[in-house]
Amino acid sequence: MTSNIGLQAATIPHRAALQVQTRLRIVRSAGSPDSCRHFGLTSCTFHRASLHRCGVKHPRAFSLRRHKSSACRTYAATNKVTDAGWEGIAGSVGYGLIWGGLAYYAFVLSPNQTPYRDMYLLEKLSGLGADDGVAVNTVFTRLCWLMGVWPAVYASLLLPSAKSGNKVPAWPFVIASFAFGYFALGPYFALWTPIADEAHKQTGPPKKSELTGWKSWGLQATENPITSWLLFGSAALFVFQAATAGGQQWAGYSKLFDESRFCHATTIDFLALTLSAPVWMWNDSEVRQWESRGKWLPVLACIPVIGPAAYLVVRPKAK
């Protein structure tokens, strides 16, 4: 490659020519991405007039360590970590429209015949209301309890393996989801992009070395088998209690759904989280390279709450 440079040795001092030849010999393979990445240069081909293209007017100024011109940017600048493309943009727009439509319907168009009762129900379910002996509908109560399980399930699906290629962090949306459910996670789903560069993609479960220190306490909790079993047991118990509540309780829940914006929005929230779960279950199973995902994942994804919680139990754990 040095023979292609075409330097006029007669016009360059002998010592400077030797320095340039020595440095260029070091980067004989500079056309490859690996060598360019090592020296902080783009994969420029060093042919005739390449020094002038890179902004070097005199060989004395050429330095592999210090020279980074506008033409020779770092390799990371040209090798994008993520490249969503039109499909990724369409998916983000679609998620955004779905989230916006559901939010508008739930908080603007949904039935709102009993706003004072909604406040009463919220206080009762949160434990802030007075103990007046009135029991809240069993089905709706278990639905609200399941809405406490869903965010923990999504935390276990998103934090370890759903890192976005555009560096948008998942944890703020996950924390907010414990209060607002899908309406907090929806923006992250819209902003999320896959990691395009194979070198940056995560393969397999998180390593044990990543689960040390207080900064990784959230990741430690999501990878703990006890957490998975607690979520699975809670989901199975609450679903069983709602299913066996009786016809009268289900009739009362149906009436609440028709009149109460609180109940209406909570139900929509539950359904949105249920329909979104298969996407992130599959993403997590691919990252962890779960060999049985093609066989078991379609079955687990069809069971609301219990299926995703069961997947957390059987998926490959941190090594």
Side-chain angles (χ1 to χ4, degrees):
M1 187 174 293
T2 58
S3 62
N4 295 330
I5 298 175
L7 293 175
Q8 300 284 337
T11 62
I12 303 175
H14 181 66
R15 182 177 299 177
L18 290 177
Q19 290 177 353
V20 172
Q21 291 175 6
T22 302
R23 288 166 180 166
L24 291 178
R25 193 174 294 113
I26 295 175
V27 290
R28 186 179 297 274
S29 61
S32 65
D34 291 337
S35 59
C36 293
R37 183 174 3 186
H38 178 73
F39 288 103
L41 301 173
T42 55
S43 54
C44 309
T45 302
F46 286 84
H47 50 76
R48 182 177 288 107
S50 62
L51 294 179
H52 292 284
R53 186 183 62 190
C54 292
V56 181
K57 297 182 179 179
H58 195 278
R60 289 180 183 273
F62 185 77
S63 174
L64 288 176
R65 293 184 179 179
R66 292 180 296 177
H67 182 72
K68 293 182 181 179
S69 67
S70 59
C72 287
R73 300 296 183 186
T74 58
Y75 179 76
T78 58
N79 185 24
K80 295 181 181 180
V81 174
T82 177
D83 186 9
W86 288 108
E87 292 182 359
I89 295 174
S92 296
V93 172
Y95 263 120
L97 291 176
I98 292 173
W99 173 80
L102 289 177
Y104 183 76
Y105 174 78
F107 299 108
V108 178
L109 300 180
S110 62
N112 191 26
Q113 301 178 18
T114 58
Y116 293 105
R117 185 173 63 180
D118 285 356
M119 185 60 64
Y120 172 79
L121 292 175
L122 182 60
E123 292 177 353
K124 290 283 289 184
L125 291 171
S126 61
L128 300 177
D131 187 9
D132 53 8
V134 178
V136 181
N137 180 268
T138 302
V139 177
F140 182 55
T141 301
R142 298 309 182 271
L143 176 64
C144 291
W145 290 359
L146 287 171
M147 293 305 299
V149 174
W150 261 131
V153 171
Y154 270 92
S156 300
L157 293 174
L158 299 178
L159 294 180
S161 57
K163 296 178 177 63
S164 181
N166 55 17
K167 305 300 182 182
V168 175
W171 65 265
F173 302 92
V174 170
I175 292 176
S177 69
F178 283 89
F180 302 104
Y182 175 84
F183 302 109
L185 291 174
Y188 180 73
F189 297 164
L191 294 172
W192 183 87
T193 58
I195 298 177
D197 186 6
E198 295 293 335
H200 292 80
K201 282 186 177 181
Q202 177 184 343
T203 55
K207 299 178 176 61
K208 287 289 186 181
S209 58
E210 301 177 15
L211 305 179
T212 58
W214 65 271
K215 291 185 178 180
S216 63
W217 65 268
L219 194 59
Q220 295 175 33
T222 59
E223 290 297 314
N224 195 320
I226 297 177
T227 303
S228 303
W229 280 105
L230 285 176
L231 292 176
F232 173 72
S234 300
L237 177 62
F238 298 157
V239 169
F240 175 78
Q241 290 177 339
T244 59
Q248 185 176 358
Q249 292 294 324
W250 278 98
Y253 167 75
S254 178
K255 185 178 180 181
L256 272 177
F257 181 80
D258 292 337
E259 299 175 352
S260 168
R261 175 166 291 176
F262 181 27
C263 179
H264 208 92
T266 303
T267 304
I268 293 175
D269 193 356
F270 178 86
L271 294 176
L273 291 172
T274 301
L275 295 175
S276 300
V279 176
W280 303 105
M281 291 169 65
W282 184 262
N283 177 76
D284 185 80
S285 66
E286 276 195 326
V287 170
R288 294 173 185 269
Q289 299 177 337
W290 187 35
E291 297 179 355
S292 301
R293 62 179 179 271
K295 179 180 180 181
W296 292 108
L297 206 60
V299 177
L300 296 175
C302 293
I303 308 174
V305 192
I306 297 177
Y311 164 72
L312 300 180
V313 174
V314 299
R315 70 180 181 179
K317 303 297 190 297
K319 298 179 180 179

